[in-house]
Amino acid sequence: MEINAIYEGDNLEVMSKFPDNSVDLIYADPPFFTNANYEVIWHDKAEIRSFKDRWEGGIEHYITWMEPRVRECYRVLKDTGAMYLHCDYHADAHLRILMDKIFGENHFLNEIIWSYKGGGSGKDRFGRRHDTIFYYSKGKKHIFNDDNIRIPYLSAEGRDTKYAWGHHKGIDKEYKPNPKGKIPEDVWEIAPINSMSKERLGYPTQKPVELLERVVNASSDKTSIVLDPFCGCGTTLVASQKLQRKWIGIDISPTACKLMHKRLKKEFSIDAQLIRGEVDLKYVKKLAPFEFQNWVVVDKFLGTISKTKSGDMGIDGLTPQITGGFPIQVKQSESIGRNPIDNFETAIRRANKNKGYFVAYSFGKGAYEGVAEAKNNRGIEITLRTVQDLLDGKIE
Ligand SMILES: C[S@@+](CC[C@H](N)C(=O)[O-])C[C@H]1O[C@@H](n2cnc3c(N)ncnc32)[C@H](O)[C@@H]1O
């Protein structure tokens, strides 16, 4: 297990290689059960990033997917460690039961409500403006640095609550408030990342560093190792680095891993270790559509992604200008037939090129016929490449 490292891969697989009792704190913010695809266009280069909830089989399917991951978290956690599981109304009831099952009801510490403001609510209900973070300890004792996280004795309305508390208890005279402030309650009012936030990276589920700083500060020491198995754009890593903790981040998305690597470099001038599992057919088949596109076009052809998703005329990317800037089309499908090849040929001609690359898992007879006809009759050269070709280094 490497420290201060970003692991790219499925956290179940990555964690299975970690020893028992090896990390002090886990913060996990898994993709929620929304049955939704969030796709976002980043930067002016319009690189398309995809964040996808990968299950469509209902809540049981989701919990079945989560269970072995939470079990791995439990196994790698030290006996003095704690885990925070971030979720929302979509799955919180189910995840609470799962956490009780794995950690034990008596190890439940808090149900933290992260309350945030924001526009938009249904006409027939109250605005949904909070997430839930379950906080569990593994063993009987756990790290809780109360002094690290104290806040002023003020209510939301700005009243000094230490007097109200003292009066309420009828011990005004004896009550000695802690000069460092009070331990926060379990409702945390922390501003979410919005379009104006300085730390905003454009990632749809990015959490504020302030939220993670409270978690890391409360539940780890400077000698601690903090693990985030669903690391996204690396907010936990940033908070841990800021507070001088050791950290490990895992994310299945190559795009997310590259982004957090860049973020750590920018904020702390550190060149974090980026550890990638074996890139094989199994790995490629798990990639979301835009990750697949990035892998083929950027990683393999060293090219550039097409600027727009729709209206791209069947062109997903271009080979580097130095090698001709030829169109690349990618399809996560088997047995590509004649039609997609004919359409790609049209796209190549519209782009005023005479050559292009088509990448898929496999091609049928019709595809080869289309390629031969395009070459013989119209001088358009289409190279068919399977994913296995690319894995074997057969690119151009
Ligand atoms: C809700 S986001 C995390 C956001 C993060 N807390 C932040 O502040 O940026 C969930 C992340 O889990 C990742 N993910 C989904 N399935 C995964 C898996 N099996 N292993 C590792 N990461 C996974 C997604 O790529 C996504 O980046």
Side-chain angles (χ1 to χ4, degrees):
M1 186 176 86
E2 300 294 328
I3 304 300
N4 290 359
I6 301 164
Y7 284 85
E8 183 193 308
D10 187 334
N11 48 24
L12 187 58
E13 231 168 280
V14 175
M15 283 192 287
S16 71
K17 303 203 173 79
F18 292 176
D20 295 354
N21 303 311
S22 51
V23 306
D24 299 274
L25 167 64
I26 296 179
Y27 166 83
D29 176 19
F32 293 143
F33 175 73
T34 59
N35 276 334
N37 292 344
Y38 302 102
E39 282 164 5
V40 193
I41 298 182
W42 295 47
H43 313 305
D44 46 354
K45 279 191 185 156
E47 283 177 350
I48 299 163
R49 316 276 159 152
S50 154
F51 175 91
K52 188 177 184 202
D53 286 353
R54 288 187 173 84
W55 31 84
E56 275 136 32
I59 189 75
E60 281 82 19
H61 186 183
Y62 175 63
I63 296 301
T64 309
W65 182 87
M66 277 298 291
E67 179 161 352
R69 289 171 172 80
V70 176
R71 285 199 187 279
E72 276 303 273
C73 287
Y74 183 80
R75 184 187 63 76
V76 301
L77 206 52
K78 286 185 192 164
D79 290 341
T80 49
M83 173 162 173
Y84 291 72
L85 179 62
H86 193 135
C87 46
D88 76 1
Y89 68 92
H90 291 98
D92 56 5
H94 301 264
L95 289 171
R96 169 84 189 264
I97 293 170
L98 181 67
M99 290 295 278
D100 276 353
K101 187 166 138 190
I102 295 171
F103 281 75
E105 283 167 42
N106 49 340
H107 291 282
F108 166 82
L109 295 168
N110 284 115
E111 174 178 347
I112 297 160
I113 301 300
W114 172 34
S115 155
Y116 43 82
K117 306 255 179 315
S121 59
K123 285 200 179 111
D124 58 349
R125 58 171 166 79
F126 302 105
R128 290 173 180 153
R129 288 289 165 265
H130 80 270
D131 285 4
T132 303
I133 307 173
F134 295 122
Y135 172 33
Y136 281 73
S137 66
K138 181 167 178 183
K140 281 196 187 128
K141 285 189 180 163
H142 62 278
I143 300 171
F144 189 71
N145 299 310
D146 55 340
D147 279 352
N148 285 359
I149 46 152
R150 287 181 183 275
I151 54 171
Y153 287 89
L154 288 180
S155 69
E157 297 78 38
R159 281 197 315 270
D160 190 338
T161 55
K162 70 177 176 266
Y163 294 111
W165 190 88
H167 179 72
H168 172 69
K169 297 274 175 185
I171 50 165
D172 298 72
K173 281 190 184 150
E174 298 86 352
Y175 178 58
K176 286 202 185 77
N178 189 321
K180 291 180 186 157
K182 64 173 182 174
I183 297 174
E185 293 84 9
D186 55 6
V187 177
W188 297 1
E189 292 198 10
I190 293 178
I193 304 284
N194 58 43
S195 54
M196 305 299 283
S197 304
K198 275 198 191 139
E199 61 190 271
R200 182 172 184 267
L201 294 165
Y203 203 75
T205 56
Q206 181 185 353
K207 303 298 179 293
V209 174
E210 188 185 346
L211 181 85
L212 267 303
E213 272 190 75
R214 184 175 283 177
V215 167
V216 172
N217 236 333
S219 297
S220 67
D221 295 323
K222 290 211 170 140
T223 54
S224 298
I225 300 174
V226 181
L227 167 66
D228 186 336
F230 293 95
C231 214
C233 50
T235 313
T236 308
L237 312 189
V238 168
S240 304
Q241 182 67 29
K242 222 168 149 184
L243 297 168
Q244 298 168 329
R245 269 58 166 176
K246 298 185 197 87
W247 46 262
I248 301 169
I250 311 174
D251 203 288
I252 201 163
S253 154
T255 312
C257 291
K258 277 183 207 138
L259 177 79
M260 62 182 111
H261 185 268
K262 211 162 138 188
R263 184 177 182 189
L264 288 161
K265 195 166 211 168
K266 190 164 170 225
E267 293 197 25
F268 306 103
S269 305
I270 50 172
D271 198 1
Q273 245 196 108
L274 191 51
I275 301 168
R276 208 182 213 193
E278 197 187 338
V279 179
D280 54 11
L281 202 56
K282 198 171 136 212
Y283 165 92
V284 176
K285 284 197 167 168
K286 274 192 194 164
L287 295 177
F290 294 106
E291 303 287 11
F292 180 72
Q293 185 184 2
N294 277 344
W295 180 74
V296 173
V297 176
V298 181
D299 287 12
K300 291 288 141 191
F301 280 88
L302 307 177
T304 46
I305 297 286
S306 282
K307 286 198 168 58
T308 48
K309 164 88 184 103
S310 57
D312 60 358
M313 302 185 303
I315 295 176
D316 294 312
L318 298 176
T319 65
Q321 283 309 321
I322 199 161
T323 64
F326 296 121
I328 305 170
Q329 161 85 293
V330 306
K331 285 244 182 294
Q332 281 176 299
S333 323
E334 302 277 359
S335 309
I336 293 292
R338 176 74 189 247
N339 263 354
I341 302 298
D342 288 349
N343 293 342
F344 186 46
E345 186 200 332
T346 309
I348 295 173
R349 284 198 283 145
R350 266 199 228 140
N352 285 327
K353 298 283 178 186
N354 60 357
K355 195 171 165 180
Y357 296 86
F358 200 116
V359 178
Y361 291 122
S362 62
F363 297 94
K365 200 167 140 234
Y368 291 98
E369 284 167 5
V371 167
E373 203 178 291
K375 176 136 196 216
N376 298 337
N377 298 350
R378 293 173 292 280
I380 304 286
E381 192 183 319
I382 299 174
T383 305
L384 304 183
R385 287 281 176 254
T386 63
V387 168
Q388 193 58 53
D389 287 338
L390 302 192
L391 289 167
D392 296 340
K394 200 170 151 195
I395 315 278
E396 297 205 19

